[in-house]
Amino acid sequence: MELLNVINNFKINGEVELTKRINDGLINNSFYVCTDKNRKYILQQINNFVFKNPKDIVKNIVVVTNHLKNKVDEKNLELVLTKNNDYLLELNNKIYRMYDYIDNSYTLQIKDLDNQKIFEIGKIIGKFHANLYDLDIKSVKETIKNFHNTPDRIEKLFNSYNLWTLNNDDLMIEEYIDFVKKEIDRLSIIENKIEVGSLKKHIIHNDTKLNNIMFDKKSNKAKCLIDFDTVMPGSVLFDIGDALRSLGSNALEDEQKFSIIDFDDLKYYCFMIGYLSQMSDKLTEEELNLIPHSIYTITMECSIRFMTDFLDGNKYFHIDYPNHNLIRSLNQMTLAKKILTKLNSLNKNTILLYERLAKNK
Ligand code: GN1
Ligand code: MG
């Protein structure tokens, strides 16, 4: 009943006929809504523990979607207004916003990926970066401070570890902390380069995992990115790293059988061919040289975030069982270690790929 009341506060077309909870995503609560006029929407309750300033998020989304509207001919994310002409609805201490549903589209699971689809994903992320390249970074607010600042994430991990009361997992956690300590310098390379200005920030997506990429049902091509909550200034390397963290792995991020986790080089190259088709003229040499390294960094960063949340008592990410964040964290560390063993060859081949594509242009 409350849900229906929430929905009817938005300017929807028709009477609500169907609502369905969507169990994707670890932060917001999302619902699919369909009306008797066959109009479809996505309603989301914004997690205000994670997003302290929902108003800034919707302001960012409006700036970015308007900018994209002038460049993209296909459908992109669009917000639905409330009956008070606002983008946010506050009801019983909860905050909601609504999007038009992107019709005739679907998202992929790791098991559905093939080389062509991965190429498409690289291309759509490259296109997103290229289209937002000329948007002034000052026009978009930083809604979560230091979101992909890895050294800051490490500091938060150490703080949580110091406050953590030891229990049965202590040896495993200690080993984990030792590994992170050993890797601090390597994990700080990107942030250090941002600080000295040798890596520039642009408007990027910041959450390019596989289920945030919509595919078209008819053409089976990637159509657009969704989930613009974290669209903020950052290095393009964050998005490349985050996308490959999720789609370059041959296992889900909460797979418990760590022995099957590996990083798939072929998927990486397919993604890069797609990405470079849109961004090769914009990437700097520094960015190009750091691409494989960014996948390692963002994968470890994600592992660190899951571990920090586990130590903090699971307040940030939605969990299905008590050790869920611990499993996710160790899973992502296993993947990161696999990437480390491949860094040299990935680096060499990325340059070769870039040069070959440039020649064929
Ligand atoms: C969260 O909400 P969702 O599932 O799209 C998180 C990402 C993590 C991801 C890990 C705002 O994304 O940063 O990479 O979980 N989003 C936020 O699965 O923290
Ligand atoms: Mg998200």
Side-chain angles (χ1 to χ4, degrees):
M1 213 46 220
E2 189 189 329
L3 186 63
L4 200 61
N5 186 20
V6 171
I7 298 167
N8 283 326
N9 271 287
F10 286 89
K11 288 184 181 170
I12 57 167
N13 188 345
E15 297 296 319
V16 178
E17 209 169 61
L18 175 82
T19 60
K20 207 164 72 187
R21 191 172 174 142
I22 305 171
N23 288 324
D24 249 6
L26 305 188
I27 308 289
N28 295 323
N29 288 329
S30 308
F31 303 88
Y32 168 81
V33 178
C34 185
T35 71
D36 58 353
K37 293 201 172 143
N38 204 23
R39 289 294 303 270
K40 297 161 189 154
Y41 305 92
I42 296 290
L43 175 79
Q44 285 187 306
Q45 184 202 330
I46 301 180
N47 178 329
N48 42 2
F49 174 75
V50 171
F51 297 105
K52 310 284 185 211
N53 294 310
K55 283 197 178 122
D56 285 343
I57 301 182
V58 287
K59 269 189 212 150
N60 284 353
I61 295 175
V62 172
V63 170
V64 169
T65 49
N66 281 342
H67 191 84
L68 288 175
K69 236 185 248 169
N70 300 326
K71 309 226 169 176
V72 186
D73 30 9
E74 290 152 9
K75 178 121 184 119
N76 239 290
L77 267 194
E78 226 169 301
L79 285 165
V80 179
L81 281 168
T82 67
K83 288 183 176 158
N84 291 331
N85 287 324
D86 213 336
Y87 286 116
L88 284 178
L89 174 75
E90 233 182 298
L91 206 72
N92 301 332
N93 295 323
K94 290 179 186 156
I95 299 171
Y96 302 87
R97 53 99 201 277
M98 192 182 258
Y99 284 120
D100 252 344
Y101 181 78
I102 301 188
D103 228 347
N104 296 314
S105 57
Y106 62 96
T107 54
L108 292 170
Q109 312 273 328
I110 283 187
K111 62 177 175 31
D112 309 321
L113 288 171
D114 58 34
N115 296 345
Q116 185 61 34
K117 294 226 165 69
I118 294 170
F119 164 83
E120 281 291 324
I121 295 172
K123 195 170 159 192
I124 201 80
I125 294 175
K127 209 169 169 186
F128 188 81
H129 287 170
N131 283 333
L132 293 176
Y133 209 75
D134 59 344
L135 180 59
D136 183 359
I137 60 166
K138 289 195 204 83
S139 62
V140 174
K141 294 217 168 80
E142 214 180 330
T143 45
I144 303 181
K145 289 257 171 293
N146 294 319
F147 192 59
H148 280 307
N149 178 336
T150 312
D152 185 71
R153 295 285 186 184
I154 294 176
E155 208 181 305
K156 287 185 174 127
L157 168 75
F158 291 165
N159 287 340
S160 299
Y161 178 63
N162 289 337
L163 293 172
W164 184 62
T165 32
L166 296 185
N167 66 21
N168 292 340
D169 303 313
D170 53 358
L171 201 64
M172 197 198 305
I173 309 280
E174 255 177 63
E175 269 174 32
Y176 181 88
I177 297 287
D178 285 345
F179 177 71
V180 176
K181 277 190 185 149
K182 204 168 80 14
E183 289 297 300
I184 287 182
D185 286 350
R186 200 188 336 234
L187 289 169
S188 306
I189 292 175
I190 293 184
E191 187 53 36
N192 290 344
K193 286 188 187 287
I194 291 176
E195 266 164 35
V196 298
S198 61
L199 277 176
K200 292 266 174 297
K201 286 191 175 180
H202 302 278
I203 302 300
I204 62 153
H205 185 279
N206 277 303
D207 189 7
T208 44
K209 66 182 197 186
L210 194 51
N211 58 8
N212 284 333
I213 297 155
M214 302 300 286
F215 270 74
D216 187 84
K217 271 189 189 156
K218 278 191 212 123
S219 67
N220 287 317
K221 293 195 166 179
K223 197 170 183 157
C224 64
L225 299 181
I226 53 166
D227 188 359
F228 284 5
D229 292 341
T230 47
V231 171
M232 289 184 281
S235 164
V236 292
L237 292 173
F238 299 158
D239 280 356
I240 302 175
D242 206 15
L244 285 154
R245 165 189 87 77
S246 105
L247 66 85
S249 174
N250 51 7
L252 293 173
E253 72 185 8
D254 49 11
E255 170 63 56
Q256 303 197 16
K257 212 167 142 202
F258 298 153
S259 59
I260 69 163
I261 298 172
D262 203 356
F263 183 77
D264 188 328
D265 311 32
L266 183 60
K267 287 181 176 173
Y268 169 80
Y269 298 119
C270 293
F271 176 96
M272 283 313 299
I273 296 171
Y275 186 83
L276 289 172
S277 74
Q278 306 297 309
M279 279 293 286
S280 60
D281 55 337
K282 296 192 172 64
L283 279 185
T284 63
E285 200 180 333
E286 186 90 278
E287 284 165 341
L288 190 71
N289 289 333
L290 282 167
I291 289 173
H293 175 79
S294 75
I295 313 168
Y296 169 68
T297 306
I298 295 290
T299 306
M300 257 328 279
E301 183 192 275
C302 199
S303 167
I304 288 166
R305 293 174 61 196
F306 286 137
M307 184 60 85
T308 308
D309 197 32
F310 172 74
L311 299 176
D312 288 348
N314 308 305
K315 297 186 190 107
Y316 189 99
F317 295 105
H318 171 82
I319 54 163
D320 294 326
Y321 56 92
N323 279 353
H324 204 159
N325 276 322
L326 178 65
I327 293 290
R328 286 171 176 146
S329 172
L330 300 176
N331 167 312
Q332 294 292 286
M333 180 177 68
T334 308
L335 177 64
K337 285 182 176 171
K338 292 278 181 180
I339 299 167
L340 260 191
T341 64
K342 300 185 176 190
L343 270 189
N344 284 342
S345 71
L346 291 174
N347 266 329
K348 224 170 46 214
N349 291 332
T350 305
I351 308 293
L352 287 176
L353 190 68
Y354 175 82
E355 284 166 356
R356 184 162 303 171
L357 292 172
K359 245 187 231 157
N360 290 344
K361 253 197 165 171

